[in-house]
């Protein structure tokens, strides 16, 4: 009996190193936890081994590592999600990429490319990778070393979707899909040990503005969100790939209304004349009219009143020769007050229509 106990003890002592090693391995094994990215408001499943798990639009999770960018040893960067809203830019404002062998660093190029194809390209054999419309860019990057590039994946939400919560949900899915696609492209860059300094970005564009006149003549997409394509630039400076055409546009004062009324006072006619004249001179710009009210009455009534005020300004501009398609109307009701609704002057300030050139 004593001999058996002694044998068991010796066996246990021999197994201790193995058990300790297994325990150490378990300690090092990554554990996942939900973490919020502050600036881009997206959820990641992050492990302690710096591995990101990206949720796909279908609800599954794909594992994508955060590689070190070539030329920036030890530094890890992530794509940036642009949270500034829908960019009102037009496809016609960009140069196109087609059989280019060299690119001008002062120009922005648009590529009509489904960036989801980066996933397929990633798993193709190196000598048989089919880049499609992105091929000229890849050839340029890989043949001329250390060329910097800014690349932005742009998407749009179908303009027929008016519900803001649905829009936000679709935008989150579109953003995540674009991020994953850019990560696949970045993996290829790292795999090829390219020395190019590349920055990555995801942005939303307004589909109606992007297509411009073609929006009314072409068949519209039926999908909830649209992979519009890629915008690239080859300068070394920090640039805005989606500059607003109205960045330096003239500003116009608000148009105020009497309480419970949507009649434009004659004193504002000169302002409307100036606004119409400006829009005729700047044919590439449009105007956003946002109606507001005070909080006297029901919320539904105030929403309707604020819309009617904006519509009356729209009618006045159409009467002055501005095309209806260049005028956008939004109603905010009693939201976003600029004055104290408990005072007469405050309520007068809130009964207004703001004018924004875009």
């Amino acid at each position: 009996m004593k001999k058996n106990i002694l044998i068991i003890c010796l066996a246990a002592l021999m197994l201790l190193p193995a058990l300790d090693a297994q325990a150490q391995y378990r300690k090092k094994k990554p554990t996942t936890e939900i973490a919020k990215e502050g600036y881009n408001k997206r959820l990641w499943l992050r492990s302690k081994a710096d591995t990101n798990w990206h949720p796909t639009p279908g609800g599954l999770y794909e594992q994508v590592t955060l590689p070190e960018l070539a030329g920036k040893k030890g530094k890890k960067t992530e794509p940036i999600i642009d949270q500034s809203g829908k960019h009102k830019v037009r496809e016609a404002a960009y140069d196109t990429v087609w059989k280019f062998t060299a690119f001008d660093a002062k120009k922005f190029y648009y590529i009509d490319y489904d960036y989801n194809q980066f996933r397929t390209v990633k798993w193709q054999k190196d000598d048989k990778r089919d880049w499609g419309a992105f091929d000229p860019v890849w050839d340029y990057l890989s043949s001329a070393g250390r060329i910097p590039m800014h690349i932005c994946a742009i998407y749009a939400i179908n303009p027929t979707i008016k519900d803001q919560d649905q829009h936000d949900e679709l935008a989150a899915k579109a953003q995540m899909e674009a991020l994953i696609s850019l990560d696949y492209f970045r993996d290829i860059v790292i795999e090829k040990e390219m020395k190019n300094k590349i920055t990555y970005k995801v942005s939303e564009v307004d589909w109606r503005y992007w297509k411009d006149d073609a929006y009314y003549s072409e068949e519209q997409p039926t999908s909830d969100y649209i992979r519009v394509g890629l915008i690239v630039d080859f300068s070394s400076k920090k640039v805005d790939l989606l500059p607003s055409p109205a960045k330096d546009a003239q500003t116009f004062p608000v148009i105020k209304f009497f309480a419970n009324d949507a009649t434009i006072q004659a004193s504002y006619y000169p302002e409307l004349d100036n606004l119409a004249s400006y829009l005729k001179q700047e044919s590439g710009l449009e105007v956003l009219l946002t109606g507001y009210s005070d909080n006297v009455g029901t919320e539904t009534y105030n929403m309707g009143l604020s819309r009617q005020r904006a519509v009356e300004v729209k009618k006045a501009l159409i009467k002055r020769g501005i095309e209806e398609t260049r005028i956008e109307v939004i109603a905010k009701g009693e939201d976003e007050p600029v004055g104290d609704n408990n005072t007469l002057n405050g309520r007068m300030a809130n009964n207004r229509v703001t004018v924004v050139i875009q």
Side-chain angles (χ1 to χ4, degrees), residues 113 116-132 135 138 184 188 191-192:
Y113 184 71
N116 243 10
Q117 293 182 40
F118 284 146
R119 302 174 184 231
T120 304
V121 174
K122 159 70 176 174
W123 301 113
Q124 290 174 342
K125 291 184 178 180
D126 188 36
D127 58 341
K128 294 184 179 180
R129 280 177 171 155
D130 181 10
W131 291 94
D135 189 64
W138 180 256
Y184 277 111
I188 300 172
E191 171 195 314
K192 299 292 291 182

Short mmCIF file of all heavy atoms in Angstrom, two decimals, residues 113 116-132 135 138 184 188 191-192:
data_model
loop_
_atom_site.label_atom_id
_atom_site.label_comp_id
_atom_site.label_asym_id
_atom_site.label_seq_id
_atom_site.Cartn_x
_atom_site.Cartn_y
_atom_site.Cartn_z
N TYR A 113 -15.80 50.62 -58.35
CA TYR A 113 -15.28 49.31 -57.96
C TYR A 113 -16.02 48.81 -56.72
O TYR A 113 -16.17 49.55 -55.74
CB TYR A 113 -13.78 49.43 -57.66
CG TYR A 113 -13.09 48.14 -57.34
CD1 TYR A 113 -12.86 47.19 -58.33
CD2 TYR A 113 -12.62 47.87 -56.06
CE1 TYR A 113 -12.19 46.01 -58.05
CE2 TYR A 113 -11.96 46.70 -55.76
CZ TYR A 113 -11.75 45.77 -56.76
OH TYR A 113 -11.10 44.59 -56.47
N ASN A 116 -15.81 45.03 -52.09
CA ASN A 116 -15.93 43.69 -51.53
C ASN A 116 -15.06 42.68 -52.29
O ASN A 116 -14.76 41.60 -51.77
CB ASN A 116 -17.40 43.24 -51.58
CG ASN A 116 -17.97 43.01 -50.20
OD1 ASN A 116 -17.35 43.37 -49.20
ND2 ASN A 116 -19.15 42.44 -50.13
N GLN A 117 -14.67 43.04 -53.51
CA GLN A 117 -13.83 42.14 -54.30
C GLN A 117 -12.44 41.97 -53.69
O GLN A 117 -11.72 41.03 -54.03
CB GLN A 117 -13.70 42.67 -55.73
CG GLN A 117 -15.00 42.63 -56.51
CD GLN A 117 -14.83 43.11 -57.95
OE1 GLN A 117 -13.84 42.80 -58.61
NE2 GLN A 117 -15.79 43.89 -58.43
N PHE A 118 -12.04 42.87 -52.80
CA PHE A 118 -10.75 42.72 -52.13
C PHE A 118 -10.68 41.40 -51.37
O PHE A 118 -9.61 40.82 -51.21
CB PHE A 118 -10.50 43.88 -51.15
CG PHE A 118 -10.12 45.16 -51.82
CD1 PHE A 118 -10.53 46.38 -51.29
CD2 PHE A 118 -9.35 45.18 -52.96
CE1 PHE A 118 -10.17 47.58 -51.88
CE2 PHE A 118 -8.99 46.37 -53.58
CZ PHE A 118 -9.40 47.58 -53.04
N ARG A 119 -11.83 40.92 -50.89
CA ARG A 119 -11.87 39.63 -50.18
C ARG A 119 -11.45 38.51 -51.12
O ARG A 119 -10.66 37.64 -50.75
CB ARG A 119 -13.29 39.35 -49.67
CG ARG A 119 -13.86 40.41 -48.75
CD ARG A 119 -15.31 40.09 -48.45
NE ARG A 119 -15.94 41.13 -47.64
CZ ARG A 119 -16.62 40.90 -46.53
NH1 ARG A 119 -16.74 39.67 -46.08
NH2 ARG A 119 -17.18 41.87 -45.87
N THR A 120 -12.01 38.52 -52.34
CA THR A 120 -11.69 37.48 -53.31
C THR A 120 -10.23 37.56 -53.72
O THR A 120 -9.53 36.54 -53.80
CB THR A 120 -12.59 37.63 -54.55
OG1 THR A 120 -13.96 37.60 -54.15
CG2 THR A 120 -12.33 36.51 -55.54
N VAL A 121 -9.77 38.78 -53.99
CA VAL A 121 -8.38 38.98 -54.43
C VAL A 121 -7.41 38.49 -53.37
O VAL A 121 -6.38 37.89 -53.69
CB VAL A 121 -8.13 40.47 -54.74
CG1 VAL A 121 -6.66 40.71 -55.07
CG2 VAL A 121 -9.00 40.91 -55.91
N LYS A 122 -7.74 38.71 -52.11
CA LYS A 122 -6.87 38.31 -51.00
C LYS A 122 -6.52 36.82 -51.06
O LYS A 122 -5.38 36.41 -50.80
CB LYS A 122 -7.57 38.64 -49.67
CG LYS A 122 -7.09 37.88 -48.45
CD LYS A 122 -5.69 38.29 -48.02
CE LYS A 122 -5.30 37.55 -46.73
NZ LYS A 122 -3.91 37.82 -46.36
N TRP A 123 -7.49 35.97 -51.44
CA TRP A 123 -7.28 34.52 -51.39
C TRP A 123 -6.89 33.94 -52.76
O TRP A 123 -6.74 32.73 -52.88
CB TRP A 123 -8.54 33.83 -50.87
CG TRP A 123 -8.90 34.31 -49.50
CD1 TRP A 123 -9.99 35.03 -49.13
CD2 TRP A 123 -8.12 34.14 -48.31
NE1 TRP A 123 -9.96 35.33 -47.80
CE2 TRP A 123 -8.81 34.78 -47.26
CE3 TRP A 123 -6.91 33.50 -48.03
CZ2 TRP A 123 -8.34 34.81 -45.96
CZ3 TRP A 123 -6.45 33.53 -46.72
CH2 TRP A 123 -7.16 34.18 -45.71
N GLN A 124 -6.71 34.80 -53.74
CA GLN A 124 -6.21 34.31 -55.03
C GLN A 124 -4.70 34.16 -55.00
O GLN A 124 -4.02 34.83 -54.21
CB GLN A 124 -6.62 35.28 -56.15
CG GLN A 124 -8.10 35.28 -56.46
CD GLN A 124 -8.48 36.37 -57.46
OE1 GLN A 124 -7.73 37.32 -57.68
NE2 GLN A 124 -9.65 36.23 -58.06
N LYS A 125 -4.17 33.31 -55.86
CA LYS A 125 -2.73 33.15 -55.94
C LYS A 125 -2.10 34.44 -56.43
O LYS A 125 -2.67 35.15 -57.26
CB LYS A 125 -2.38 31.98 -56.86
CG LYS A 125 -2.76 30.63 -56.30
CD LYS A 125 -2.29 29.51 -57.22
CE LYS A 125 -2.65 28.14 -56.63
NZ LYS A 125 -2.20 27.03 -57.50
N ASP A 126 -0.90 34.71 -55.93
CA ASP A 126 -0.25 35.99 -56.18
C ASP A 126 -0.15 36.30 -57.68
O ASP A 126 -0.36 37.44 -58.10
CB ASP A 126 1.15 35.99 -55.55
CG ASP A 126 1.80 37.36 -55.62
OD1 ASP A 126 1.06 38.35 -55.50
OD2 ASP A 126 3.02 37.43 -55.82
N ASP A 127 0.17 35.30 -58.48
CA ASP A 127 0.37 35.55 -59.91
C ASP A 127 -0.93 35.52 -60.70
O ASP A 127 -0.92 35.73 -61.92
CB ASP A 127 1.35 34.52 -60.49
CG ASP A 127 0.87 33.09 -60.29
OD1 ASP A 127 0.01 32.88 -59.42
OD2 ASP A 127 1.36 32.19 -61.00
N LYS A 128 -2.07 35.26 -60.02
CA LYS A 128 -3.34 35.19 -60.73
C LYS A 128 -4.39 36.11 -60.10
O LYS A 128 -5.59 35.91 -60.29
CB LYS A 128 -3.86 33.74 -60.72
CG LYS A 128 -2.97 32.79 -61.53
CD LYS A 128 -3.58 31.40 -61.57
CE LYS A 128 -2.71 30.46 -62.40
NZ LYS A 128 -3.28 29.09 -62.46
N ARG A 129 -3.94 37.12 -59.41
CA ARG A 129 -4.88 38.03 -58.77
C ARG A 129 -5.54 38.93 -59.81
O ARG A 129 -4.88 39.59 -60.60
CB ARG A 129 -4.18 38.88 -57.71
CG ARG A 129 -4.00 38.12 -56.40
CD ARG A 129 -3.26 38.91 -55.37
NE ARG A 129 -3.31 38.21 -54.08
CZ ARG A 129 -2.41 38.36 -53.12
NH1 ARG A 129 -1.37 39.18 -53.31
NH2 ARG A 129 -2.52 37.71 -51.99
N ASP A 130 -6.86 38.94 -59.79
CA ASP A 130 -7.64 39.75 -60.73
C ASP A 130 -8.20 40.96 -59.98
O ASP A 130 -9.17 40.86 -59.25
CB ASP A 130 -8.76 38.91 -61.33
CG ASP A 130 -9.59 39.69 -62.33
OD1 ASP A 130 -9.17 40.82 -62.70
OD2 ASP A 130 -10.65 39.19 -62.75
N TRP A 131 -7.58 42.12 -60.20
CA TRP A 131 -7.97 43.33 -59.48
C TRP A 131 -9.12 44.07 -60.15
O TRP A 131 -9.68 45.01 -59.57
CB TRP A 131 -6.77 44.28 -59.38
CG TRP A 131 -5.69 43.79 -58.48
CD1 TRP A 131 -4.58 43.08 -58.84
CD2 TRP A 131 -5.61 43.95 -57.07
NE1 TRP A 131 -3.81 42.79 -57.74
CE2 TRP A 131 -4.41 43.32 -56.64
CE3 TRP A 131 -6.41 44.56 -56.11
CZ2 TRP A 131 -4.02 43.29 -55.30
CZ3 TRP A 131 -6.02 44.54 -54.78
CH2 TRP A 131 -4.84 43.90 -54.39
N GLY A 132 -9.48 43.68 -61.35
CA GLY A 132 -10.57 44.36 -62.04
C GLY A 132 -10.26 45.83 -62.27
O GLY A 132 -9.17 46.19 -62.71
N ASP A 135 -7.02 47.52 -61.03
CA ASP A 135 -5.74 47.05 -61.57
C ASP A 135 -4.74 48.18 -61.85
O ASP A 135 -3.57 48.06 -61.49
CB ASP A 135 -5.98 46.21 -62.82
CG ASP A 135 -4.71 45.52 -63.29
OD1 ASP A 135 -4.19 44.67 -62.55
OD2 ASP A 135 -4.23 45.85 -64.39
N TRP A 138 -3.19 49.31 -58.55
CA TRP A 138 -2.30 48.32 -57.98
C TRP A 138 -0.97 48.26 -58.74
O TRP A 138 0.09 48.19 -58.13
CB TRP A 138 -2.96 46.95 -57.96
CG TRP A 138 -2.06 45.89 -57.38
CD1 TRP A 138 -1.38 44.93 -58.05
CD2 TRP A 138 -1.70 45.76 -56.00
NE1 TRP A 138 -0.62 44.18 -57.19
CE2 TRP A 138 -0.80 44.67 -55.91
CE3 TRP A 138 -2.04 46.44 -54.84
CZ2 TRP A 138 -0.25 44.27 -54.71
CZ3 TRP A 138 -1.50 46.03 -53.64
CH2 TRP A 138 -0.62 44.95 -53.58
N TYR A 184 -8.72 43.56 -45.86
CA TYR A 184 -8.22 42.55 -46.79
C TYR A 184 -7.18 43.16 -47.73
O TYR A 184 -6.15 42.55 -48.01
CB TYR A 184 -9.37 41.95 -47.59
CG TYR A 184 -10.12 40.86 -46.87
CD1 TYR A 184 -11.42 41.06 -46.43
CD2 TYR A 184 -9.51 39.63 -46.63
CE1 TYR A 184 -12.11 40.07 -45.76
CE2 TYR A 184 -10.20 38.63 -45.95
CZ TYR A 184 -11.50 38.85 -45.52
OH TYR A 184 -12.17 37.86 -44.86
N ILE A 188 -2.90 42.39 -48.07
CA ILE A 188 -2.11 42.12 -49.27
C ILE A 188 -0.90 43.05 -49.33
O ILE A 188 0.20 42.65 -49.70
CB ILE A 188 -2.98 42.30 -50.53
CG1 ILE A 188 -4.16 41.33 -50.49
CG2 ILE A 188 -2.16 42.08 -51.80
CD1 ILE A 188 -5.19 41.56 -51.59
N GLU A 191 1.58 41.72 -46.91
CA GLU A 191 2.13 40.46 -47.44
C GLU A 191 3.19 40.71 -48.50
O GLU A 191 4.22 40.02 -48.55
CB GLU A 191 0.97 39.65 -48.03
CG GLU A 191 1.38 38.41 -48.80
CD GLU A 191 0.23 37.88 -49.63
OE1 GLU A 191 -0.90 37.79 -49.11
OE2 GLU A 191 0.46 37.55 -50.81
N LYS A 192 2.97 41.72 -49.34
CA LYS A 192 3.92 42.05 -50.41
C LYS A 192 5.09 42.89 -49.91
O LYS A 192 5.99 43.23 -50.69
CB LYS A 192 3.20 42.79 -51.52
CG LYS A 192 2.07 42.01 -52.19
CD LYS A 192 2.59 40.84 -52.99
CE LYS A 192 3.35 41.27 -54.22
NZ LYS A 192 3.81 40.12 -55.02
#
